[in-house]
């Protein structure tokens, strides 16, 4: 049996190369040191080598401050990036994350409109630096590290608090992986100071990621013909890239007669996933004793993503311009490309694959709990839904349609193989202008087609199913034209906004929405995330639907998917377009309280979000991330696979279905002894 464990090929907190901490984009003017009410300079940079002017409770800060760059000594090629000689290194004394406690400064007067400090260590809200106004003990700002020892400089706008007394409070409430905080060098800056750009000087960080899935054939092998496994690859984004995809597999049977056939369904890494098919052994009795292991590896370069909501010039009127991407539907006298007639009028059928179409309603949700076809209207093409098998082939071709608009879009799902595809074909010359396949998932997504060079010409839409293998079917719906290039996610429709407002009408969040609408959209979203951080307790065991915002608020518990769903709904009520994104967290903890302690296939899965701000585009953020929600660490790698990192499905008696799981106590166990492992190695650069 292949051993399974979450591995991290580094100690906690590998940081960046050394650089002057106060020169990270700051103005050349000297910083202003913090003073108490009598004018005495406080020890907020620890250069006394002591904790004078600080009060410690608990055991997290015993032995502090530390002297010199201890990070460089234990992690070659990395530095703490501290200032001066002494600093708070939460991991450096005990060399573990078990301690908890607080470190609180003496009160001092706000001596400048801007303040800054160095912070590193854990990303979770349980390890944070707080700037607290003494009057009322109000938290003005909270900031965590980025799951690396190398500290970054955080900037705080205190222009509304000049002359008031504040404190710095370091809090460590975490005992798991990355449960520590690093801190140094709190200073003020003069009125002429301009903070650096949010992403200034953030270096690329390189990782080598390997995902391995192993399983033993089902104990109840009757009717199990094939097993399908998919591994996700990173989604291309401006701030990171992935290459060097490598695939491998092994089967523990030396006898060819007993060895299951393993092959790639789709070996094209450009499709952002890898799909495998494993045929049952012959004779079938050996299937439950056969171990199969599949691995996918790639190198990814990423960086920290930052956005400053206080400095972003975004107003509510900016969203009105986003309404310009409304679709232009085709006249029914030309073609019925949304199938709302309930028939295939206007289409020509060849073969048997599309003979019993279209489908009426969301049949996907009826057979696969938690999934949806995501079709438009009532009727759609569901290649698997009417026959319950993938062995039929055929074509479905629309009548010719004139290209009267420069852009078009349609919904597509089903198989990822080039043998199941949608084609846009030029009538004259029969040239294929565009082709696309699904992602081996039933829920459909919208694809956009650039038809600007072909306006005035006639085209046909052609659905092709030439596959008789697993996922050998195609889903399709709602071909429409557009006058401008559409971004469907960047608009909150009036109907969506009303639905969100109704969903939250009887919750504790409802009275806050109008208050937040008085802020700019970025600051409103930050206020929402501060509220979510304060009110929703992390709980990986919660199983209610992630988009059930009212339920999440009622029980005040949930995992990252619930926080994301809550923020999406609340943002829609505000009128801010927000979409969820999914992928890897390369520092996901393993152990008690982590997702992997509840269900092993959740290893390293994380869900976060992007918000649309006019003039800035899509901006990543951490739902429930508090005031630091717009700082996203380099370790978050999007793949946006609907199956989240990987999936395994079985074909039993011709029916494709998710691998069965059994609930035992506080865990879920796969009946086919499934193990999925994400391992990674942090590289110094692209060459290593």
């Amino acid at each position: 049996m292949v051993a399974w464990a979450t591995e991290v090929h580094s100690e906690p907190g590998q940081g960046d190369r050394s650089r002057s901490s106060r020169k990270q984009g700051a103005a050349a003017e000297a910083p202003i040191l913090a003073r108490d009410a009598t004018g005495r300079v406080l020890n907020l940079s620890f250069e006394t080598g002591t904790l004078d002017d600080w009060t410690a409770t608990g055991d997290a800060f015993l032995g502090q401050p530390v002297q010199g760059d201890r990070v460089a000594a234990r992690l070659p090629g990395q530095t703490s990036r501290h200032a001066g000689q002494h600093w708070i290194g939460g991991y450096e004394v005990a060399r573990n994350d078990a301690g908890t406690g607080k470190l609180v400064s003496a009160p001092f007067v706000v001596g400048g409109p801007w303040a800054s400090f160095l912070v590193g260590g854990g990303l979770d809200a349980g390890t944070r630096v707080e700037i607290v106004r003494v009057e009322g003990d109000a938290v003005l700002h909270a900031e965590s590290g980025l799951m690396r020892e190398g500290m970054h400089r955080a900037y705080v706008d205190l222009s509304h608090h000049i002359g008031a007394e504040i404190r710095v409070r370091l809090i460590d409430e975490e005992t798991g992986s990355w449960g520590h905080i690093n801190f140094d060098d709190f200073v003020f800056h003069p009125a002429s100071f301009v903070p650096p750009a949010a992403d200034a000087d953030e270096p690329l960080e390189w990782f080598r990621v390997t995902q391995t899935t192993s399983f033993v054939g089902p104990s109840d092998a009757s009717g199990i013909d094939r097993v399908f496994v998919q591994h996700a690859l990173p989604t291309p984004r401006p701030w990171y890239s992935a290459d060097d995809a490598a695939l491998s597999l092994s089967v523990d049977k030396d006898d060819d007669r007993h060895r299951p056939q393993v092959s790639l369904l789709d070996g094209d890494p450009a499709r952002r996933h890898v799909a495998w098919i494993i045929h049952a052994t012959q004779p079938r009795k050996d299937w439950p004793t056969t171990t199969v292991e599949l691995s996918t590896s790639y190198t990814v370069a990423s960086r920290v993503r930052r956005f400053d909501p206080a400095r972003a010039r975004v107003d509510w009127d900016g969203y009105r311009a986003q309404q310009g991407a409304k679709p232009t539907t085709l006249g029914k006298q030309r073609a019925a490309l949304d199938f709302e007639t309930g028939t295939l009028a206007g289409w020509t059928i060849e073969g048997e694959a599309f003979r019993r179409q279209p489908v009426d309603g969301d049949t996907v949700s009826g057979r696969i709990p938690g999934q949806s076809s995501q079709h438009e209207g009532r009727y759609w093409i569901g290649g698997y839904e009417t026959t319950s098998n993938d062995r039929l082939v055929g074509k479905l071709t629309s009548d010719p349609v004139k290209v009267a608009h420069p852009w078009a879009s349609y919904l597509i799902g089903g198989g990822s193989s080039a043998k199941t595809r949608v084609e846009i074909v030029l009538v004259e010359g029969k040239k294929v202008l565009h082709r696309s396949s699904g992602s081996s998932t039933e829920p459909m997504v919208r694809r956009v087609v650039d038809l600007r060079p072909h306006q005035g010409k006639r085209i046909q839409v052609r659905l092709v199913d030439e596959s008789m293998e697993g996922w050998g079917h195609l889903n399709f719906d709602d071909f429409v034209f557009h006058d401008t290039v559409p971004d469907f996610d960047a608009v909150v429709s009036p109907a969506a906004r009303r639905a969100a407002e109704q969903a939250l009408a009887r919750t504790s969040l409802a009275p806050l929405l109008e208050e937040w609408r008085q802020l700019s959209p970025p600051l409103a979203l930050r206020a929402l995330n501060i509220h979510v951080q304060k009110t929703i307790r992390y709980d990986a065991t919660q199983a209610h639907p992630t988009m059930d915002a009212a339920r999440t608020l009622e029980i005040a518990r949930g995992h990252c998917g619930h926080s994301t769903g809550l923020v999406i709904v609340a943002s829609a009520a505000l009128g801010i377009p927000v979409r969820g994104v999914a992928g890897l967290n390369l520092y996901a903890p393993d152990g008690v309280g982590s997702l992997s302690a509840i269900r092993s296939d959740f290893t390293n899965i994380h869900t976060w979000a992007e918000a649309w701000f006019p003039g800035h585009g899509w901006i990543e953020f951490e739902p429930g991330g508090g005031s630091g929600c717009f700082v996203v660490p380099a370790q978050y790698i999007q793949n946006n696979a609907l199956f989240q990192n990987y999936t395994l499905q079985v074909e039993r008696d011709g029916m494709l279905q998710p691998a069965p799981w059994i609930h035992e106590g506080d865990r879920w166990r796969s009946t086919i002894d499934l193990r999925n492992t994400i391992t990674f190695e942090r590289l110094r650069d692209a060459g290593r």
Side-chain angles (χ1 to χ4, degrees), residues 487-515:
D487 189 335
F488 294 91
D489 294 332
V491 177
V492 178
S493 68
R497 183 166 181 169
R498 286 194 300 271
E501 290 173 337
Q502 292 171 3
L504 299 173
R506 298 184 180 181
T507 71
S508 60
L509 208 58
L512 297 173
L513 295 177
E514 192 57 40
E515 175 185 331

Side-chain angles (χ1 to χ4, degrees), residues 380-407:
W380 57 290
I381 299 297
Y384 187 86
E385 305 307 309
T386 57
T387 61
S388 298
N389 73 69
D390 290 323
R391 296 183 176 89
L392 302 179
V393 297
K395 296 179 181 179
L396 186 63
T397 307
S398 75
D399 291 343
V401 178
K402 184 178 180 180
V403 178
H405 305 272
W407 299 89

Side-chain angles (χ1 to χ4, degrees), residues 2 210-216 227-231 246-252 260-265 274-279 287 291-297 645-649 674-679:
V2 179
T210 300
Q211 178 164 206
T212 301
T213 300
S214 65
F215 67 92
V216 177
V227 175
F228 301 88
V229 177
Q230 294 180 90
H231 287 172
L247 315 174
S248 64
L249 64 91
S250 64
V251 181
D252 70 348
Q261 177 189 350
V262 184
S263 58
L264 281 173
L265 257 177
V274 176
W276 314 75
I277 180 171
I278 302 96
H279 297 265
W287 183 227
T291 300
V292 178
E293 181 178 284
L294 311 167
S295 292
T296 305
S297 299
N645 295 350
Y646 96 107
T647 187
L648 186 146
Q649 296 178 299
L674 174 65
R675 297 291 184 268
N676 187 69
T677 306
I678 305 288
T679 64

Side-chain angles (χ1 to χ4, degrees), residues 25-26 43 155 214 363 410 419 432 435 510 554 687:
N43 177 37
Y155 297 91
S214 65
T363 54
Y410 60 89
K419 292 183 178 181
V432 177
R435 61 167 54 92
E554 178 186 3

Side-chain angles (χ1 to χ4, degrees), residues 330 335-339 346-347 398-399 401 461 476-480:
L330 292 165
L337 300 190
D338 57 6
F339 308 101
W347 294 81
S398 75
D399 291 343
V401 178
V461 180
F476 176 84
D477 195 17
D478 199 43
F479 182 99
V480 291

Side-chain angles (χ1 to χ4, degrees), residues 197 199 205 240 311 325 329 403 411 439 456 458 478 535 546 654 681:
D199 284 318
E205 301 179 35
Y240 60 72
R311 298 169 63 194
T329 57
V403 178
L411 293 171
S439 299
R458 294 197 306 159
D478 199 43
T535 57
T546 57
E681 180 182 7

Side-chain angles (χ1 to χ4, degrees), residues 284-485:
R284 191 180 299 275
K285 63 181 179 64
D286 292 313
W287 183 227
T289 64
T290 302
T291 300
V292 178
E293 181 178 284
L294 311 167
S295 292
T296 305
S297 299
Y298 55 86
T299 300
V300 61
S302 180
R303 65 172 172 81
V304 174
R305 286 85 80 186
R306 300 174 185 271
F307 179 76
D308 188 344
R311 298 169 63 194
R313 295 186 176 182
V314 180
D315 57 39
W316 297 100
D317 290 338
Y319 288 108
R320 295 176 182 171
Q322 295 308 118
Q323 299 293 332
K326 294 180 179 178
T328 302
T329 57
L330 292 165
K332 294 216 173 167
Q333 70 276 13
R334 295 179 183 168
L337 300 190
D338 57 6
F339 308 101
E340 290 309 296
T341 64
T343 71
L344 292 181
W347 294 81
T348 301
I349 305 172
E350 300 176 50
E352 298 299 321
F354 303 101
R355 187 68 61 183
R356 297 167 61 185
Q357 301 292 331
V359 177
D360 186 357
D362 190 353
T363 54
V364 171
S365 62
R367 66 181 178 88
I368 307 178
Q371 292 195 31
S372 168
S373 61
Q374 299 184 178
H375 66 283
E376 289 285 342
R378 178 174 173 178
Y379 297 98
W380 57 290
I381 299 297
Y384 187 86
E385 305 307 309
T386 57
T387 61
S388 298
N389 73 69
D390 290 323
R391 296 183 176 89
L392 302 179
V393 297
K395 296 179 181 179
L396 186 63
T397 307
S398 75
D399 291 343
V401 178
K402 184 178 180 180
V403 178
H405 305 272
W407 299 89
S409 72
Y410 60 89
L411 293 171
I412 184 174
S416 60
S417 169
K419 292 183 178 181
T420 54
R421 62 190 183 273
V422 173
E423 297 179 338
I424 310 299
V425 183
L426 196 62
V427 173
E428 183 179 354
K430 301 301 181 182
K431 180 181 179 181
V432 177
L433 306 178
H434 165 90
R435 61 167 54 92
S436 178
S437 299
S439 299
S440 294
T441 54
E442 301 295 4
M444 291 183 285
V445 297
R446 192 166 287 275
R447 300 276 165 81
V448 176
V449 186
D450 182 358
L451 292 174
R452 288 175 295 178
H454 309 289
Q455 289 193 73
K457 300 177 182 177
R458 294 197 306 159
I459 61 171
Q460 292 176 289
V461 180
R462 184 163 63 202
L463 281 56
V464 180
D465 182 352
E466 300 171 326
S467 175
M468 299 178 67
E469 296 290 339
W471 285 104
H473 65 272
L474 189 64
N475 301 340
F476 176 84
D477 195 17
D478 199 43
F479 182 99
V480 291
F481 286 119
H482 306 271
D483 292 320
T484 59
V485 58

